[in-house]
Amino acid sequence: MRSNSVEETISKAYDYYIAGNIDKAISCYREALSQDSNYAPIYLGLALIYGNMYIQNTNDKNLFIFAKKNYEKVLQLQPNLPKIHADLAYILSVKGDFEESAIHYKRALELGLNNAEIYYNAGAIISEINCDEAIEYQFKALDLEPDKAIIYHNLGYAYMAQKRVVEAEWYYKKAITLEPEYWEAYVNLANLYFLNKQYNKAWDHYEYRFLKNISIKNRLPNISKPIWDGSSLIGKTICVYCEQGLGDIINFIRYVPVLSKLGAKVILKLHRDYSSLEKLFKDSNLKAEILDHSLDDENIECDTLISVMSLPHRLKTTIDNIPYKDNYLKAKPEKVTYYKNKYFDNTDFKLGIVWNCRNKEVNDKYRSLNDLSYFYPFCKLANVQVYSLQKGDGVDDLNNLPDDINIIDLGYTFNDFSDTAAAIENLDLLISIDTSVPHLAGALGKPAWILLSYIHSWRWTYDLKISPWYNSIKLFRQEQQNVWAHPVQEAYEHFKSLIQSRKN
């Protein structure tokens, strides 16, 4: 039986937590641990605090570590608590640890936690691993809650991943019928149309991303001017802003010069999150004034504004009229020369590689190879010099190369995308997973091959081998979910043929 002092300390910790005094709550729970280190409710209290803090700030890895450690301690003391398995599964899913999350969701179900939320949450994360199993879970959730919009949305996503267009469209539309402001369902329905090359349907639905998407809203400029509706821009000033990923911005910045051709004065305001693009855009002839990201929105004078991601909608883009498919960005000549003299002064075929997302925990680890050794066969070919353009996650792989593998690390020299562009200009070819770097190569008009995961970005469509957005980009696709052997081997065979033809 626990002492009254432990129970009183736990009660005090809970009261502090409810009052919003997190530091004192944690302090009380730790005091309780000093009194009794084998009492599950203490660890549960800490797990809930750190877990909620992590959900609010997913960039803080320590919060995740603390939350997971305390949940695991609860389960060590009381392993058959289904709700704790489910809570830990959710935290793991936020982190992107889908395999481990699936284990705990399944354990929660085995222990009798039979409710729709567990089934549809489990199915959502399992869809990244096995779409067939994910669909089974969603239908079990549907049996329990037949009018839940999120279940229909999740079914749409799983069917979309399987290229089952008719089923995916029906389930997305059903989700929207049940919940008319379900912005994720609108956007994923747009993604489905994009993948199926139905751009005329896609752009309208894609605009719903502004409905309730907090991450986008936080990047919107504070400018009290109307959104451009596609009307004449002659004699007007339009402010273009950005609100999504770096690759997205590089992809769609091609539309900025089009506005100038329509008679507008164009100013481009980048959020501080995208400051690494400023020099690159200033070095390029985008026919726009590139504002410093630190400039206050109140000091921007314009007649209208638009997100760069909405420009193809306003300009009625189809898959057949995409502008500037050859090149539209420029590297600074002086930087190109610097990289040439320092790193590329040889007669070898110059191959650049990227194998991981910069932060794969946030940016979908299933797009990442997660294993540099996939590129070792490329390195062993005669008269080929391989260069790493990797930043962030994966860079440490370069510290453990076999003796017969030579890869020159350029990533550490990159301060912003103008440096990356200068390096790419010196390459003969880039082979990369789907991240911002191949977008940059395509925008520069440099040859690039993208290794695509089974579930991939809408812009690459379901079936094309050449990118519809860049004439210089080829696509190599997974045939089986989370299995990289096929696309890597296919790229390797093409690469060997390319090297052989160069010799001849």
Side-chain angles (χ1 to χ4, degrees):
M1 186 173 180
R2 259 71 200 188
S3 67
N4 289 336
S5 60
V6 172
E7 296 292 354
E8 288 172 359
T9 307
I10 293 173
S11 178
K12 188 185 300 183
Y14 181 76
D15 289 341
Y16 279 130
Y17 177 65
I18 294 300
N21 195 330
I22 304 301
D23 290 340
K24 285 192 174 181
I26 292 173
S27 178
C28 281
Y29 278 125
R30 288 176 175 168
E31 181 184 342
L33 280 179
S34 69
Q35 298 168 336
D36 189 339
S37 62
N38 290 304
Y39 194 28
I42 305 173
Y43 294 101
L44 178 57
L46 288 167
L48 291 172
I49 289 176
Y50 286 122
N52 288 332
M53 290 171 67
Y54 173 67
I55 291 168
Q56 299 299 318
N57 182 13
T58 55
N59 291 323
D60 191 330
K61 294 181 180 179
N62 285 329
L63 293 175
F64 169 78
I65 292 170
F66 294 150
K68 183 183 179 186
K69 178 181 177 181
N70 282 285
Y71 273 122
E72 289 175 339
K73 185 63 177 180
V74 175
L75 291 172
Q76 179 185 333
L77 294 168
Q78 297 185 26
N80 296 324
L81 297 175
K83 182 65 166 60
I84 305 307
H85 282 284
D87 289 348
L88 175 55
Y90 179 73
I91 294 296
L92 289 162
S93 72
V94 172
K95 172 75 159 39
D97 290 345
F98 296 126
E99 290 93 343
E100 191 174 354
S101 176
I103 291 170
H104 286 283
Y105 270 130
K106 290 177 180 180
R107 184 60 181 148
L109 292 167
E110 290 170 359
L111 291 169
L113 195 59
N114 186 38
N115 67 56
E117 183 178 4
I118 301 303
Y119 278 115
Y120 66 68
N121 281 340
I125 63 100
I126 290 170
S127 66
E128 302 293 340
I129 306 165
N130 184 318
C131 288
D132 288 331
E133 188 177 5
I135 290 170
E136 290 180 17
Y137 274 73
Q138 297 303 339
F139 276 116
K140 288 179 180 178
L142 206 58
D143 288 339
L144 296 169
E145 290 197 41
D147 294 321
K148 193 76 172 179
I150 190 173
I151 304 172
Y152 291 95
H153 168 269
N154 291 350
L155 280 165
Y157 182 85
Y159 281 123
M160 181 172 70
Q162 293 184 325
K163 304 181 184 179
R164 295 170 64 175
V165 176
V166 174
E167 293 98 325
E169 182 179 22
W170 189 90
Y171 282 105
Y172 280 139
K173 286 182 175 179
K174 179 67 174 179
I176 292 168
T177 300
L178 291 169
E179 193 173 318
E181 293 193 349
Y182 197 161
W183 71 265
E184 294 99 330
Y186 282 105
V187 170
N188 276 322
L189 181 56
N191 292 341
L192 176 69
Y193 291 141
F194 284 129
L195 285 163
N196 208 35
K197 300 187 282 289
Q198 297 173 287
Y199 281 25
N200 56 327
K201 292 183 178 181
W203 295 119
D204 286 339
H205 288 81
Y206 196 57
E207 288 299 291
Y208 281 91
R209 68 190 185 278
F210 294 109
L211 199 58
K212 291 183 178 180
N213 190 332
I214 300 301
S215 63
I216 287 180
K217 287 179 181 278
N218 288 340
R219 291 170 176 164
L220 300 183
N222 184 25
I223 301 175
S224 300
K225 293 293 181 179
I227 303 298
W228 182 48
D229 59 4
S231 58
S232 174
L233 288 172
I234 296 175
K236 294 185 178 180
T237 299
I238 184 169
C239 176
V240 179
Y241 64 91
C242 303
E243 33 89 0
Q244 293 198 42
L246 293 165
D248 298 302
I249 298 168
I250 293 170
N251 190 181
F252 286 92
I253 205 71
R254 73 182 72 217
Y255 287 94
V256 169
V258 177
L259 298 177
S260 180
K261 288 184 177 181
L262 294 176
K265 176 184 176 182
V266 186
I267 54 178
L268 177 65
K269 174 65 189 307
L270 295 174
H271 189 275
R272 63 181 178 275
D273 290 351
Y274 312 124
S275 59
S276 59
L277 291 168
E278 277 185 17
K279 287 183 181 179
L280 172 66
F281 289 167
K282 288 178 179 179
D283 293 338
S284 304
N285 187 20
L286 292 176
K287 307 295 184 184
E289 180 184 358
I290 315 297
L291 302 178
D292 189 280
H293 69 274
S294 63
L295 180 68
D296 291 337
D297 292 342
E298 297 78 33
N299 295 325
I300 298 175
E301 295 184 3
C302 62
D303 299 298
T304 186
L305 70 159
I306 190 79
S307 165
V308 71
M309 301 295 290
S310 293
L311 286 174
H313 176 229
R314 295 293 189 270
L315 296 168
K316 297 179 170 44
T317 296
T318 70
I319 199 166
D320 299 314
N321 66 7
I322 295 171
Y324 301 111
K325 295 172 70 170
D326 289 316
N327 67 292
Y328 50 91
L329 295 181
K330 306 291 182 186
K332 194 175 186 65
E334 294 84 353
K335 283 191 176 183
V336 175
T337 300
Y338 167 79
Y339 273 94
K340 177 178 176 56
N341 293 337
K342 190 169 180 63
Y343 299 103
F344 294 93
D345 190 15
N346 60 69
T347 59
D348 291 335
F349 187 97
K350 300 166 181 63
L351 171 65
I353 60 171
V354 177
W355 59 98
N356 274 5
C357 293
R358 180 167 182 161
N359 185 345
K360 64 186 180 183
E361 292 175 1
V362 175
N363 299 312
D364 185 0
K365 67 179 180 179
Y366 294 104
R367 281 191 285 144
S368 298
L369 288 177
N370 300 312
D371 187 351
L372 176 56
S373 67
Y374 279 111
F375 281 113
Y376 289 174
F378 297 81
C379 300
K380 293 179 180 180
L381 293 173
N383 305 119
V384 172
Q385 178 58 62
V386 178
Y387 297 85
S388 166
L389 279 67
Q390 184 69 46
K391 297 281 286 184
D393 288 344
V395 169
D396 290 346
D397 296 347
L398 296 169
N399 297 329
N400 302 298
L401 296 177
D403 292 339
D404 60 341
I405 299 299
N406 177 29
I407 300 175
I408 296 176
D409 180 14
L410 296 179
Y412 83 95
T413 72
F414 300 158
N415 296 308
D416 56 48
F417 277 95
S418 68
D419 297 329
T420 314
I424 290 174
E425 281 289 357
N426 284 285
L427 294 175
D428 295 306
L429 174 67
L430 170 74
I431 303 180
S432 172
I433 53 100
D434 181 15
T435 185
S436 57
V437 181
H439 280 285
L440 178 54
L444 294 166
K446 297 291 292 186
W449 298 354
I450 302 181
L451 304 170
L452 287 180
S453 55
Y454 189 79
I455 300 174
H456 55 73
S457 168
W458 60 263
R459 76 199 72 235
W460 310 126
T461 76
Y462 275 132
D463 55 3
L464 296 179
K465 293 186 177 181
I466 302 294
S467 164
W469 293 91
Y470 309 99
N471 286 335
S472 63
I473 286 184
K474 294 182 179 180
L475 307 171
F476 297 83
R477 303 171 181 271
Q478 280 186 352
E479 292 186 340
Q480 184 178 347
Q481 200 167 356
N482 304 319
V483 178
W484 284 110
H486 171 77
V488 174
Q489 183 63 30
E490 185 183 11
Y492 178 66
E493 295 300 330
H494 278 73
F495 186 70
K496 283 198 301 183
S497 298
L498 177 63
I499 297 301
Q500 187 61 44
S501 65
R502 190 169 182 255
K503 291 178 181 178
N504 296 336

